[in-house]
């Protein structure tokens, strides 16, 4: 157990990952990529093996422990937390492969780094003897430059479409084009992955809709069997939670300095804004804890639990983005300086909050569907 109460297999390695992420955050933001040493520290902390199949050295982590650990990384660097989270959750996806495919991916051990993309562009996946011939481009592949394997869809997935498959491709079969240059989350390295032509054996593929539904090919852990959209929000919300906590800490330090001049007049309103933001961040953490706890107890199959969890994840991120906006305003012109950590956090939180999996409107419509269908 780490100092922040996170139950984690190796607390010291997690602490080292937290330190590396924080120390490298400014340089990563400026360079637009994580330092290799930071990526190594995240891998050493055990994120790739968190949800990996047990037979391949998986750590049998809980959603709660992964959420807490990712948020801890996010307090230092949201981009590093994003990569750590995706490594864990992509390991979960590998459980949907046939046994031989899982053995291929994890042959070098539980530190194998998986990336994924379901944003297919011009993909050709043709059945051939023994498998598929695959070629195409996939967008927004976070951490592609550090990847050992990639999980890639044959087309943009659609609910209930059994024709969309996911293919496991080793790093010697793909390259990447640097296409990620954004306002926030600059160091996630979410570039375009390119496969010119690759043969994918049958055992390295599965139907995307099985992952959506949580239909494993054979019994696995509770975490691996969770339906995709019930827990997918945790993947992307946890880094935002960590970043929001970092913003709160910065503003706490800001308020701790005795103001002068015009700042004195705004002192009380700033304290009120800080208190409101602190409450919003705590409320978001509680919502995410409920999502994680529901999944960890295997209760997502209960009536309405899955759509409620999706709703909770998106609502939590709305609260976090609002809280960071409030805190950013408190720091005023100082917080907008390129030398100040607040502007980086503000950019990262807004960029992360725009992810498709974190949009409240879609979650709200799913949550209320049974009302209008009655």
């Amino acid at each position: 157990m780490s100092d922040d109460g996170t139950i984690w297999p190796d607390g010291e390695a997690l602490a080292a990952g937290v330190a590396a992420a924080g120390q490298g955050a400014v340089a990563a933001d400026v360079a637009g990529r994580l330092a290799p040493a930071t990526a190594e520290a995240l891998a050493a902390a055990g994120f790739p093996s968190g949800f990996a199949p047990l037979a391949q050295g998986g750590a049998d982590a809980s959603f709660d422990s992964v959420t807490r650990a990712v948020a801890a990384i996010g307090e230092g660097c949201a981009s590093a937390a994003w990569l750590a989270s995706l490594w864990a959750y992509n390991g979960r996806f590998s459980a949907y492969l046939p046994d031989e495919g899982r053995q291929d991916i994890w042959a070098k051990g539980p530190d194998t780094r998986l990336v994924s993309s379901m944003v297919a562009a011009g993909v050709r996946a043709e059945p051939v003897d023994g498998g598929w011939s695959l070629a195409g481009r996939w967008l927004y592949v976070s951490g592609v430059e550090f990847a050992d394997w990639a999980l890639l869809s044959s087309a943009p997935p659609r609910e209930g479409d059994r024709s969309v498959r996911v293919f496991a491709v080793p790093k010697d079969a793909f390259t990447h084009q640097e296409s990620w240059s954004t306002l926030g989350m600059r160091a996630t390295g979410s570039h375009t992955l390119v496969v010119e032509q690759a043969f994918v054996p049958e055992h390295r593929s599965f139907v995307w809709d099985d992952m959506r539904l949580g239909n494993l090919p054979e019994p696995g852990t509770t975490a691996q069997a969770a339906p995709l959209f019930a827990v997918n929000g945790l993947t992307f919300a946890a880094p935002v939670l960590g970043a929001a906590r970092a913003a709160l800490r910065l503003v706490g330090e800001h308020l701790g300095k005795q103001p002068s001049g015009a700042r004195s007049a705004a002192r009380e309103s700033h304290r009120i804004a800080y208190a409101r933001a602190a409450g919003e961040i705590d409320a978001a953490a509680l919502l995410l804890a409920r999502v994680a706890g529901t999944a960890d107890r295997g209760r997502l199959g209960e009536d309405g639990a899955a759509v409620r969890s999706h709703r909770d994840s998106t609502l939590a991120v709305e609260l976090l983005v609002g809280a960071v906006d409030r805190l950013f305003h408190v720091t005023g012109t100082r917080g907008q300086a390129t030398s100040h950590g607040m502007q980086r956090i503000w950019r990262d939180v807004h960029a992360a909050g725009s992810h498709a999996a974190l949009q409240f409107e879609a979650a709200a419509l799913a949550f209320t569907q049974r009302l209008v269908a009655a």
Side-chain angles (χ1 to χ4, degrees):
M1 181 176 290
S2 70
D3 291 341
D4 68 353
T6 302
I7 300 172
W8 196 250
D10 190 336
E12 289 187 5
L14 176 60
V18 170
Q23 291 165 5
V26 173
D29 182 61
V30 172
R33 57 171 34 91
L34 290 182
T38 301
E40 292 295 335
L42 297 177
F47 286 101
S49 65
F51 293 135
L54 299 183
Q56 280 72 47
D60 196 18
S62 67
F63 286 107
D64 181 69
S65 65
V66 170
T67 300
R68 289 174 180 268
V70 169
I73 298 291
E75 291 193 45
C77 176
S79 289
W82 192 268
L83 186 57
S85 190
L86 284 167
W87 279 350
Y89 281 85
N90 290 332
R92 189 178 87 87
F93 299 159
S94 74
Y96 290 86
L97 287 164
D99 180 65
E100 189 176 355
R102 297 195 298 270
Q103 291 184 41
D104 286 353
I105 283 183
W106 300 100
K108 293 184 179 180
D111 290 340
T112 298
R113 304 165 189 179
L114 271 70
V115 297
S116 68
S117 175
M118 304 298 121
V119 188
V123 173
R124 299 189 309 277
E126 301 174 355
V128 295
D129 187 28
W132 288 268
S133 175
L134 182 69
R137 298 160 57 86
W138 288 264
L139 309 181
Y140 312 127
V141 187
S142 298
V144 62
E145 62 186 304
F146 300 114
D148 296 312
W149 286 78
L151 298 173
L152 307 169
S153 67
S154 59
R158 297 172 295 276
E159 184 174 321
D161 188 341
R162 304 289 296 175
S163 70
V164 179
R165 302 192 68 87
V166 177
F167 301 102
V169 181
K171 66 179 179 180
D172 60 3
F174 61 79
T175 59
H176 73 274
Q177 295 177 350
E178 296 199 358
S179 54
W180 184 252
S181 181
T182 57
L183 182 66
M185 302 298 287
R186 287 175 45 78
T188 61
S190 303
H191 300 301
T192 299
L193 184 150
V194 180
V195 175
E196 296 293 347
Q197 194 70 48
F199 170 69
V200 181
E202 188 171 354
H203 64 266
R204 291 184 189 167
S205 178
F206 62 85
V207 176
W208 177 85
D209 206 51
D210 284 336
M211 184 171 70
R212 178 183 71 86
L213 296 169
N215 292 333
L216 289 166
E218 58 187 60
T221 67
T222 299
Q224 290 162 356
L228 178 63
F229 291 113
V231 296
N232 203 32
L234 290 173
T235 314
F236 309 106
V240 181
L241 175 61
R245 286 173 170 165
L248 190 71
R249 183 179 66 249
L250 283 176
V251 172
E253 295 169 354
H254 176 83
L255 291 177
K257 299 175 182 177
Q258 194 61 34
S260 60
R263 288 181 57 224
S264 297
R267 178 75 169 173
E268 289 189 358
S269 66
H270 288 174
R271 289 168 54 193
I272 292 169
Y274 173 88
R276 185 177 295 278
E280 290 169 335
I281 293 168
D282 285 349
L286 289 171
L287 283 169
L288 296 178
R290 180 166 71 170
V291 175
T294 300
D296 287 333
R297 292 191 295 273
R299 296 177 59 182
L300 288 172
E302 296 179 3
D303 186 38
V307 289
R308 186 196 68 196
S309 290
H310 186 197
R311 179 208 67 187
D312 284 355
S313 294
T314 60
L315 181 58
V317 170
E318 282 201 351
L319 288 171
L320 293 169
V321 172
V324 171
D325 279 345
R326 202 181 309 281
L327 294 168
F328 186 52
H329 177 74
V330 170
T331 58
T333 304
R334 291 188 180 188
Q336 297 177 41
T338 56
S339 60
H340 201 289
M342 182 59 77
Q343 54 80 26
R344 172 174 51 83
I345 293 171
W346 183 85
R347 288 187 286 108
D348 284 347
V349 164
H350 275 272
S354 70
H355 193 280
L358 300 178
Q359 302 313 298
F360 180 75
E361 290 78 6
L365 292 174
F367 180 72
T368 57
Q369 179 59 37
R370 57 182 176 170
L371 300 178
V372 299

